């Protein structure tokens, strides 16, 4: 293909040609080259196969000559397409001139970048641009990687997009923007978006993603961590899917942070506090080490900056062997020379052994800037299924923290509460038993938590509809159960506080 850089990566389309991007966008939409159109064309099995880096089903489904089939082969499957098929679908001369297409062979055209249709949260038709081979199969799609390659949409990208709090803000920062997916989301609810990356190629591709998706342009700054941000500048929202992989060296820019162990994630979290506006959120994906003789929760808790509430959730833990194998496969090393693969695997284990690392945790970290005298830091392990998007659940978690901080036990008894939506009660016990062994409240939304409650807790939660105060409900329960209402009022606020904190009950304000 024409236009290959010294790094072996294709030359990118011009980022200063919004006119060409707009015409390409119009052509893509006109042919239904969208997330829904792609699913309709390929069918669910072939569509799912793309996520596994398997393109044969999609190639079979695009053997016709419709405009949509042509675009899928060209921009998603990286197949050269004859001039006769392209010319009626795309403004060919314009796209060659602006660098989106290149002439190959005798009379064919090929895309210079991947373009993947991506559905926005409110039905928007967006397009994520990435380097060739990166739109299909996420991180495993292109075999061995070049150092500066820019990936497309992967599981980590969509996880971060789903957990991000989506309230309207004045200023948002996407730190380590990559292909620009987080900046694209932020542009929908932020007046001003700044995107940074240590890789200038990523900034170029972010500009293409925004332009092709019809989104406002972002301020693009090159540099590591918060270095590109102006002194004293703060943001209402900071998001980052950083190069968090704990690896020996910094071979691949898109994943390796270049710091020892989990220092990059620690530095990112610690520095975020002073960059947040009051009430602002910072949300990150991260890896952290599980070190022999050390509590992992204490480790990540020590990262939280002063003046910030935090909610840290560990979603998965891998032993050092699994972890090394995962990222060696991600970079395509398993497809190369076996001796080199073994040497890199060995180097990874040497690094972990030197640091006494037994495993690596993965999860998300949310900070919120607070003026509270004693910030709240919650660190938990939650490997169970959740319901995305979680942004509203996370925002509500911090709202409930504020409520609980401002209300002592006496205030709670005067308060009014409602049972959260889609909370059900389950009774667990032997068949035929007169009374259950215990009662469980279970959420069917958000974090999908479950918690055991006693008879009083179950009865209290079931009556909460916002009309009666907590104290009056407890007095009624005491009368029904023949208990002393004063003693019941004394011992129940702790249970109410837990049910509010975990989202089973909501203040009726």
């Amino acid at each position: 293909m024409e236009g290959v850089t010294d790094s072996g990566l294709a030359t990118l389309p011009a980022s200063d040609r919004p006119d060409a991007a707009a015409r390409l966008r119009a052509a893509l939409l006109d042919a239904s080259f969208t997330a829904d159109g792609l699913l309709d064309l390929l069918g669910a099995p072939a569509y799912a196969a793309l996520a596994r880096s398997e393109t044969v089903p999609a190639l079979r489904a695009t053997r016709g000559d419709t405009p949509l089939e042509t675009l899928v082969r060209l921009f998603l499957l990286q197949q050269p397409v004859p001039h006769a098929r392209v010319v009626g679908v795309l403004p060919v001369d314009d796209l060659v001139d602006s660098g989106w297409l290149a002439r190959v062979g005798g009379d064919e055209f090929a895309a210079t970048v991947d373009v993947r249709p991506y559905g926005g949260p409110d039905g928007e038709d967006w397009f994520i641009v990435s380097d060739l081979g990166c739109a299909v199969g996420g991180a495993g799609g292109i075999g061995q990687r070049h150092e500066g390659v820019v990936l497309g949409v992967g599981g980590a990208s969509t996880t971060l997009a789903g957990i991000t709090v989506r309230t309207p803000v004045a200023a948002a920062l996407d730190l380590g923007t990559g292909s620009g997916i987080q900046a694209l989301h932020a542009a929908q609810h932020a007046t001003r978006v700044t995107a940074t990356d240590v890789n200038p190629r990523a900034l170029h591709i972010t500009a293409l993603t925004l332009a092709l998706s019809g989104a406002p342009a972002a301020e693009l700054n090159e540099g590591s961590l918060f270095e590109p941000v102006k002194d004293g500048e703060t943001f209402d929202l900071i998001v980052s899917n950083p190069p968090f992989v704990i690896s020996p060296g910094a071979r691949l820019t898109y994943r390796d942070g270049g710091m020892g162990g989990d220092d990059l994630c620690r530095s990112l979290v610690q520095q975020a506090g002073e960059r947040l506006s009051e009430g602002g959120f910072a949300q990150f994906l991260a890896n952290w080490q599980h070190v022999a003789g050390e509590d992992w929760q204490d480790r990540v808790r020590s990262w939280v900056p002063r003046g910030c509430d935090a909610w840290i959730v560990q979603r998965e833990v891998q032993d050092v062997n699994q972890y090394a194998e995962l990222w060696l496969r991600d970079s395509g090393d398993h497809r190369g020379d076996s001796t080199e693969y073994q040497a890199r695997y060995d180097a990874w284990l040497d690094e972990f052994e030197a640091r006494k690392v037994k495993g690596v945790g993965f999860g998300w970290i949310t900070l919120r800037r607070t003026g509270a005298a004693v910030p709240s830091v919650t660190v938990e392990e939650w490997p169970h299924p959740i319901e995305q998007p979680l942004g509203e659940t996370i925002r509500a978690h911090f709202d409930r923290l504020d409520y609980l901080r401002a209300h002592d036990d006496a205030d709670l008894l005067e308060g009014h509460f409602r049972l959260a939506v889609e909370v059900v009660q389950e009774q667990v016990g032997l068949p035929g038993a007169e009374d259950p062994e215990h009662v469980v409240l279970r959420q069917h939304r958000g974090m999908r938590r479950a918690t055991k409650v006693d008879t009083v807790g179950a009865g209290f939660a079931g009556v909460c509809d916002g009309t009666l105060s907590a104290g009056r409900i407890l007095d009624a329960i005491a009368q029904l159960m023949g208990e002393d209402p004063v003693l019941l009022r004394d011992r129940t606020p702790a249970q109410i506080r837990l049910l509010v904190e975990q989202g089973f009950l909501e203040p009726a304000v």
Side-chain angles (χ1 to χ4, degrees):
M1 180 182 295
E2 296 178 6
V4 177
T5 66
D6 292 340
S7 66
L9 296 168
T11 302
L12 296 174
S15 61
D16 59 352
R17 288 286 307 276
D19 57 325
R23 282 190 282 273
L24 174 56
R25 173 177 172 78
L28 298 179
L29 293 176
D30 189 56
S32 297
F33 185 68
T34 63
D36 289 341
L38 193 63
L39 181 59
D40 289 342
L41 171 67
L42 301 181
Y47 190 84
L50 290 177
R52 303 190 300 270
S53 304
E54 297 293 346
T55 59
V56 172
L59 288 168
R60 291 174 60 87
T62 56
R63 289 179 292 190
D65 59 0
T66 67
L68 179 55
E69 289 169 300
T70 297
L71 293 176
V72 171
R73 281 188 163 254
L74 187 63
F75 287 112
L76 200 61
L77 301 177
Q78 286 81 65
Q79 300 297 306
V81 177
H83 175 272
R85 288 188 60 180
V86 179
V87 70
V89 179
L90 295 170
V92 175
D93 292 340
D94 194 14
L95 296 182
V96 170
D97 181 61
S98 57
W100 289 93
L101 296 179
R103 300 179 187 275
V104 294
D107 192 30
E108 292 183 319
F109 293 94
T112 58
V113 289
D114 276 3
V115 176
R116 175 173 171 174
Y118 179 80
D122 295 317
E124 302 95 341
D125 289 316
W126 292 341
F127 301 97
I128 308 299
V129 180
S130 60
D131 271 313
L132 291 174
C134 295
V136 170
I142 62 171
Q144 289 191 306
R145 299 288 168 75
H146 298 287
E147 178 184 354
V149 71
V150 178
L151 301 185
V153 180
S157 303
T158 55
T159 294
L160 180 59
I163 69 171
T164 300
V165 176
R166 298 294 176 195
T167 53
V169 296
L173 170 64
D174 175 15
L175 195 152
T177 186
S179 61
I181 180 174
Q182 309 306 329
L184 179 57
H185 276 279
Q188 310 310 302
H189 62 103
T191 303
R192 179 173 58 87
V193 176
T194 301
T196 71
D197 205 291
V198 70
N199 183 3
R201 189 175 182 87
L203 298 175
H204 190 131
I205 283 181
T206 291
L208 298 176
T209 290
L210 295 173
L212 194 57
S213 298
E219 180 182 333
L220 305 175
N221 297 326
E222 182 182 346
S224 177
L225 297 178
F226 290 97
E227 290 175 3
V229 179
K230 301 184 183 85
D231 289 342
E233 187 175 12
T234 61
F235 299 87
D236 307 295
L237 175 67
I238 300 172
V239 292
S240 183
N241 176 19
F244 54 67
V245 177
I246 300 170
S247 62
R251 189 162 59 98
L252 298 172
T253 303
Y254 76 90
R255 71 167 199 199
D256 301 325
M259 297 185 185
D262 51 17
D263 283 353
L264 182 132
C265 291
R266 175 185 57 78
S267 298
L268 178 60
V269 174
Q270 289 180 336
Q271 294 174 24
E274 63 184 11
R275 292 297 187 174
L276 277 177
S277 305
E278 187 67 26
F281 285 92
Q283 299 185 265
F284 315 107
L285 300 185
N287 274 175
W288 42 79
Q289 298 173 146
H290 284 229
V291 179
E294 176 185 277
D295 187 322
W296 73 268
Q297 293 189 347
D298 290 340
R299 183 181 190 86
V300 294
R301 187 178 284 109
S302 72
W303 295 359
V304 178
R306 283 176 152 187
C308 288
D309 292 324
W311 184 13
I312 301 172
V313 181
Q314 179 168 273
R315 295 287 290 154
E316 182 182 5
V317 183
Q318 291 184 316
D319 65 48
V320 293
N321 298 325
Q322 291 174 312
Y323 190 80
E325 291 163 13
L326 168 67
W327 293 107
L328 286 167
R329 287 194 301 272
D330 171 85
S331 58
D333 289 301
H334 63 303
R335 299 190 182 103
D337 179 77
S338 60
T339 301
E340 187 174 356
Y341 172 83
Q342 291 172 8
R344 285 179 172 160
Y345 196 152
D346 209 31
W348 226 305
L349 298 185
D350 283 343
E351 179 84 1
F352 284 135
E353 184 177 351
R355 295 178 177 275
K356 299 182 180 179
V357 175
K358 303 300 181 183
V360 178
F362 167 81
W364 63 68
I365 297 174
T366 299
L367 307 177
R368 185 190 60 166
R369 190 76 186 174
T370 179
V374 181
S376 169
V377 178
T378 301
V379 183
E380 63 177 318
E381 186 167 15
W382 192 255
H384 313 294
I386 60 171
E387 182 189 53
Q388 285 273 39
L390 268 181
E392 179 58 24
T393 297
I394 290 174
R395 185 202 59 75
H397 166 86
F398 288 94
D399 285 350
R400 293 194 302 271
L401 285 182
D402 286 341
Y403 178 86
L404 292 172
R405 269 196 293 246
H407 293 76
D408 60 17
D409 287 355
D411 293 328
L412 285 185
L413 293 176
E414 293 297 320
H416 294 239
F417 301 93
R418 290 193 183 92
L419 190 67
V421 296
E422 295 196 36
V423 172
V424 299
Q425 175 180 303
E426 300 174 357
Q427 296 186 350
V428 181
L430 293 173
E434 184 175 345
D435 296 312
E437 293 179 14
H438 56 263
V439 178
V440 173
L441 297 181
R442 187 178 301 277
Q443 300 168 348
H444 283 264
R445 303 288 298 273
M447 292 293 288
R448 295 181 174 172
R449 296 187 187 277
T451 187
K452 290 182 183 179
V453 292
D454 59 18
T455 305
V456 172
F460 179 86
V463 175
C464 283
D465 62 2
T467 58
L468 295 176
S469 70
R472 289 189 62 186
I473 293 173
L474 290 178
D475 290 344
I477 292 174
Q479 185 175 2
L480 287 171
M481 298 180 64
E483 290 201 29
D484 184 332
V486 175
L487 294 178
L488 195 60
R489 278 173 171 255
D490 284 344
R491 77 167 193 260
T492 307
Q495 189 168 191
I496 296 174
R497 193 171 291 276
L498 179 64
L499 291 175
V500 172
E501 180 183 339
Q502 294 191 343
F504 291 94
L505 295 178
E506 298 172 347
V509 293

